[in-house]
Amino acid sequence: MLKLIMKVSRLSVLAIVAIALLTVVPFSVSAATDQREVEDAKVILNGSSLKLESPLHMVNGRMYLPVGLVAKSLSASVSWDSKTQEATIITKSNDEVVFGNDVPTVYFNDQRYTLEAVPYLYDSRLYVPVRYVAEVTHATAAWDIDKKTLTLTSVPLEVVSDENSLAKISADHNLTQAEVVKRNKFSSKDQVKNGMKLAVILPSILDKKAKPFTNEEYQLLAKIVQVESGYESYEGQLAVANVILNRVANSKFPDSIKEVIYSGSQFPPAHNGLLAKADPNASVLQATKDALNGKNNVEGAVYFFNPKYSNDSYWSSLTVVATIGNHRFAK
């Protein structure tokens, strides 16, 4: 977790800034426009100055940095998929972590967790909160507000031995043995043997599991998105998927993806055979996945329509949230 280092004479300021940096502040996609550079900031990594090609950002009281540049310096490998806009990090503890642009869900060793602050793309680089980057790469982070210096310190993995037992390692890091066992993907402490390297930093992202979805739900949602907007842009496809998910979350509609799609007359393809024949393309599959992971570009919209064909008084009475491609999204 981020810590603030300040002079004793400025304890009152410390309290204020500590709250700002440590408090959980939800971050929306639109908040990315509030980003600002931290001017003249320095980054120290393991005692040496680290020159970043892109500046640190402070957004809604949280510090962000370009994840690829820093993770590599912390002994992790990073790959960027420009099509899915996802950064995949393989850490020194062999954890696989996937952050997506504007996606409030992170994949950690194939498990999904909800983020409290969302990564965003800026100047062709994916920015992720410092806290997340440090924790998943097995490091600590400290911000000195007086010196405007971010200090990142890599924490070595603990090597198990007779002298450095699981019990000792756990106690040294104020963790229970069960926490260390779980963090290192073991089911029992009996599986921990001498010579093994153990991670001892518990990423805070693991505190909140994301709402699950089944492959059946994913495929069904992708099929209806394909039929309704396969010819549209990724943004249009994402919006259609979110209209359905917004309905699931709205008490006026059924509470499952399947029931929303098959109930009523909003989705004729569900009743005329076209849905069953749909073969989602790559863009649709990505948009559907992102929607299920919480990326929402039409918050509150529970209807979509093409004004060329749906132009009676009912549709004009709705409040339009966004117009994307040939569709209007409304509530």
Side-chain angles (χ1 to χ4, degrees), residues 6 36 38 75 89 91 161 192 206 224 243 247 261 281 296:
M6 299 189 68
R36 65 177 179 85
V38 182
S75 303
I89 302 170
T91 72
S161 66
V192 179
L206 306 183
I224 195 64
V243 164
R247 286 192 173 200
I261 291 173
N281 61 39
N296 196 334

Side-chain angles (χ1 to χ4, degrees), residues 68-102:
L69 297 175
V70 176
K72 289 178 181 178
S73 299
L74 287 165
S75 303
S77 65
V78 183
S79 60
W80 172 252
D81 189 323
S82 59
K83 292 183 178 179
T84 63
Q85 294 194 330
E86 292 176 334
T88 299
I89 302 170
I90 306 297
T91 72
K92 65 184 179 185
S93 52
N94 291 319
D95 294 308
E96 181 178 277
V97 188
V98 182
F99 291 106
N101 176 34
D102 288 336

